[in-house]
Each structure stands twice: as structure tokens, then as C-alpha cells.
Amino acid sequence: MSRLPVYIDICFCLIVLPAIMLMFPIERWYHHYHAYVIALCVWLYVVYIFNRSITIPWLFTTGVRKFTAISLLGLSLLITFGLSSIELLPPPPIRPYDDYVRIVPLAKPYQQAVWSLFIIVETFSFAVGIFRHTEKQRARQREVESQRDLAEINLYKAQIKPHFMFNTLNSLYGLFLTHDSKALPALEKFITMMRYVHTTASHEYVALDDEVDYIRQYVGLQSLRLNERTHVTLSIDVENPEAMIPPMLLMTFVENCFKHGVSPVEESTIEICISEKDGQLIFSTRNHVFDLRHIGEHQGIDNCKKRLLLSFPSAHKLNIRKEVGEFKVDLSIDFGKGFRNHEKSESNITNHKTRLS
């Protein structure tokens, strides 16, 4: 689209304008007044080039440039009037019935040709110039929206990461407080997980395999503090581990399962399923809910919804259901529809992939 105005310029200058000139008896005029015809052709091209490069762009500005553009338009009218006023042919004799003839038909053919060609060039150059200005405005708007969306995504990521860290530290605190033998293995998992969070801080997308491995370690860490009344099922079936996904996107819902779905005295079940096949990611969670008061106040879920809208505006479906004693999440992402603002080459994508040590 950025080269389209250039193609239009070339087409107009090499094909359209010469074809329009040939509609007038240019050859006959050139035979007798070749200097005039050459000057007229040069002037028409000068008008077009000046309008496209200076006059029209400056009309959309303010101050001195806008005044200069208006002055150039007036100057072009004056020069064209001067060209059309040059007497090439002697005036026809005045007949008695010519008193009622209008002024315009009295204009000589070459004068009509001058003004006709000038109006065509002006109109066409204005149309192309306005089109190019509109395209530039749209490109700037798209760039502004892209930067705004990226800033919002980074903001939501910054809000989510401390949230996970504090909740996990709270779990570790409980293990160390009770002198549980699982405390040290849990701390090692936590350090590994924090390394992942740190390495993905500047990445817009990470490999799905890395994100799934992080979820696997998180579930393992949380399972260390659970009693026998809580049953956790983690099902993972990923066909393309190299698929790209925003970091910490799925963790919001996984963390929510352990935050609201665990009870020290009642039986509970947590089910987490991650499936990816043919570019289609299916993610679902099921968990009992023992504290209904805070389910509707989960900031992480709200942030996750916004991140999905920004990264996959038309390529995701999210269904969250709050039923009696149960919380269900079903999320599908179609990687085939691509990411918003995601036009990375294969080498750039590789640079975004991280591996847990």
C-alpha cells in the first residue's frame, strides 16, 4: 500500500496525461507553435509534481507552510491564465448575432485545452495527494495503537508477576513454618520458576513448551503442600512445542485453581488440561470453590482477559463459568490466525524462545 501512490504517479505521468493531451489537436498546434506546446507540457508536469510533493502536503499543516501552499495554488492559476492569454491565432471577426453569445464559447480551442488540462492535473494531483496523506495518517494511527497495546500488555505482565511470586512465597512460608521435609525441594522449584519469570520479562512471546514446563513445576510445587483430600490432575498433550504464546498467560487460571480450590478438611478435585494440535490450543481448568467471596474479585483473571484481547483479538474464545461449588474455565486459541502486531521472522522467533535450565 505504501508504494501505491508512486505507481499512480508513474501511470498518470506516462500514460494518462499523454493520452488526454492527444485528445486535443496537440500535433497540429505543435507544428506551428512548438515552443508553446512544449512549455504547456512542461508546465502541466511541474504543476503535478509540485502539488504532490509540496502544495498538498503543506495544505494539511499550519502557519507559514499552509500560507505558502495557498500562495502556490494562486500562482499556478496566474501562470495558467498567462499561458492561456497568449495570442496564437487572430481573433475571429465579430458578427451581429454574436452580441448574445456567452464569453466561454468565444474562447479559442487552445485556450480551452490549456484550462481543461490544468483542471485535470490539479484534480488528479489533489486526489492522489489526499489519498497519500490519508494512508500516512492511518499508518501513524496503527503505529500508535500498536505501541499502546504493547504498553498495556507489559503493564498487565508487570501486575501479574508479583501476584504469583507473593502467593508462591506464602506457600513456601507455610512449609518452612511447619518444618516440612518438602520445604527445600519446594524452594528449589521456586528458584527455577523465578528464573523463568525473570528471563521472560522482556519477551513478548515464548515457546509453548516453556510455558507448559513452568505450569508443570508450579503444579508440582503446589502439590507439595496439599493433603490427601485434594486430588490434582494435570493432562498435557502438545503436538507443536515450538508454538508461541505470551508468557504467564495460562498461569492466571492455574494459580486460581489452587487459590480457591483447596480445603484442609473437605474433598476437592483440581483438573488442568492443556492440548495443542494443528495450531489449535485447548486449555481448561476445573476446581471446587470453597471461598466464593473473592471469586469475582480476581485481578489476575481481568488482566488475562485484557491480554487475550490485545494478543489474540479475533483468535481466541474464553468461557468462564461459576457454578454451585465449582469454577470452570475453557480457553481456545487459534495460532493459525496469527498474533496482533506479531510479524517476526523465524530467526526473531527463535531469539524469543527460552529454556529452563
Side-chain angles (χ1 to χ4, degrees):
M1 181 62 73
S2 61
R3 293 182 176 271
L4 183 58
V6 178
Y7 297 147
I8 295 176
D9 291 340
I10 296 174
C11 180
F12 179 78
C13 293
L14 299 183
I15 300 176
V16 177
L17 185 57
I20 295 175
M21 288 181 181
L22 292 177
M23 294 180 182
F24 298 92
I26 295 292
E27 293 182 359
R28 181 165 57 87
W29 296 339
Y30 181 77
H31 181 70
H32 298 285
Y33 313 103
H34 54 274
Y36 181 84
V37 173
I38 292 174
L40 175 62
C41 294
V42 171
W43 170 240
L44 292 175
Y45 281 105
V46 168
V47 169
Y48 185 84
I49 294 172
F50 261 77
N51 281 348
R52 286 281 287 104
S53 60
I54 298 177
T55 307
I56 298 174
W58 286 10
L59 278 176
F60 293 99
T61 61
T62 57
V64 178
R65 286 194 170 188
K66 187 168 187 176
F67 177 78
T68 304
I70 296 174
S71 300
L72 288 174
L73 286 176
L75 181 62
S76 65
L77 288 171
L78 288 176
I79 295 177
T80 304
F81 178 79
L83 283 173
S84 65
S85 300
I86 297 176
E87 289 289 344
L88 299 180
L89 301 173
I94 300 176
R95 289 165 292 188
Y97 57 82
D98 287 341
D99 293 340
Y100 301 98
V101 179
R102 296 182 179 180
I103 297 176
V104 174
L106 292 178
K108 299 178 178 64
Y110 71 88
Q111 293 174 330
Q112 295 179 6
V114 169
W115 283 106
S116 297
L117 291 172
F118 175 76
I119 292 173
I120 291 172
V121 171
E122 284 283 342
T123 303
F124 204 90
S125 61
F126 264 77
V128 177
I130 293 174
F131 170 76
R132 186 175 184 181
H133 177 76
T134 303
E135 285 300 309
K136 286 183 177 180
Q137 291 294 101
R138 290 177 179 174
R140 291 193 191 101
Q141 183 65 26
R142 288 192 293 266
E143 180 65 21
V144 169
E145 292 178 355
S146 173
Q147 295 298 326
R148 181 198 63 197
D149 293 346
L150 183 59
E152 288 187 32
I153 290 174
N154 291 333
L155 174 62
Y156 299 140
K157 287 165 61 178
Q159 292 174 345
I160 288 173
K161 288 169 184 175
H163 178 75
F164 287 123
M165 183 179 67
F166 293 143
N167 285 338
T168 307
L169 283 174
N170 185 55
S171 300
L172 287 173
Y173 175 74
L175 293 176
F176 278 99
L177 190 64
T178 58
H179 302 284
D180 196 311
S181 60
K182 302 174 183 178
L184 287 178
L187 180 60
E188 293 178 359
K189 287 182 177 291
F190 175 73
I191 293 174
T192 303
M193 292 167 62
M194 288 302 100
R195 184 182 298 115
Y196 172 82
V197 172
H198 174 72
T199 55
T200 60
S202 60
H203 294 170
E204 187 176 355
Y205 297 95
V206 297
L208 178 60
D209 190 37
D210 291 341
E211 186 74 2
V212 168
D213 192 30
Y214 179 81
I215 292 175
R216 186 184 291 110
Q217 295 198 48
Y218 179 86
V219 172
L221 176 61
Q222 293 295 327
S223 298
L224 293 176
R225 67 180 181 87
L226 300 178
N227 54 41
E228 65 279 0
R229 294 183 178 87
T230 303
H231 307 280
V232 180
T233 301
L234 176 61
S235 174
I236 298 175
D237 183 15
V238 176
E239 184 180 78
N240 180 21
E242 305 301 315
M244 306 300 288
I245 189 172
M248 308 293 290
L249 183 68
L250 306 179
M251 270 301 301
T252 303
F253 304 107
V254 174
E255 187 271 345
N256 188 67
C257 293
F258 291 92
K259 182 177 179 181
H260 301 289
V262 176
S263 172
V265 295
E266 297 184 36
E267 294 285 336
S268 64
T269 300
I270 296 176
E271 297 179 3
I272 303 169
C273 179
I274 305 174
S275 174
E276 187 278 330
K277 186 176 182 181
D278 297 329
Q280 186 81 13
L281 175 66
I282 305 297
F283 172 79
S284 64
T285 63
R286 304 287 188 276
N287 63 275
H288 287 81
V289 177
F290 298 101
D291 190 0
L292 295 175
R293 295 173 298 174
H294 305 291
I295 284 296
E297 303 173 2
H298 198 289
Q299 182 184 10
I301 289 181
D302 293 336
N303 287 350
C304 186
K305 290 179 180 179
K306 294 173 183 177
R307 291 182 68 194
L308 284 167
L309 287 173
L310 292 171
S311 298
F312 308 96
S314 60
H316 83 280
K317 294 181 181 179
L318 177 62
N319 184 17
I320 299 177
R321 303 185 302 280
K322 304 172 187 177
E323 301 177 356
V324 178
E326 194 171 36
F327 190 80
K328 298 180 180 180
V329 175
D330 292 295
L331 170 64
S332 64
I333 298 176
D334 188 356
F335 293 127
K337 292 185 178 180
F339 310 129
R340 184 173 185 174
N341 307 322
H342 183 56
E343 300 176 352
K344 301 180 177 67
S345 62
E346 290 298 326
S347 60
N348 290 334
I349 290 178
T350 303
N351 292 335
H352 278 76
K353 296 178 181 178
T354 59
R355 297 297 176 190
L356 296 176
S357 58

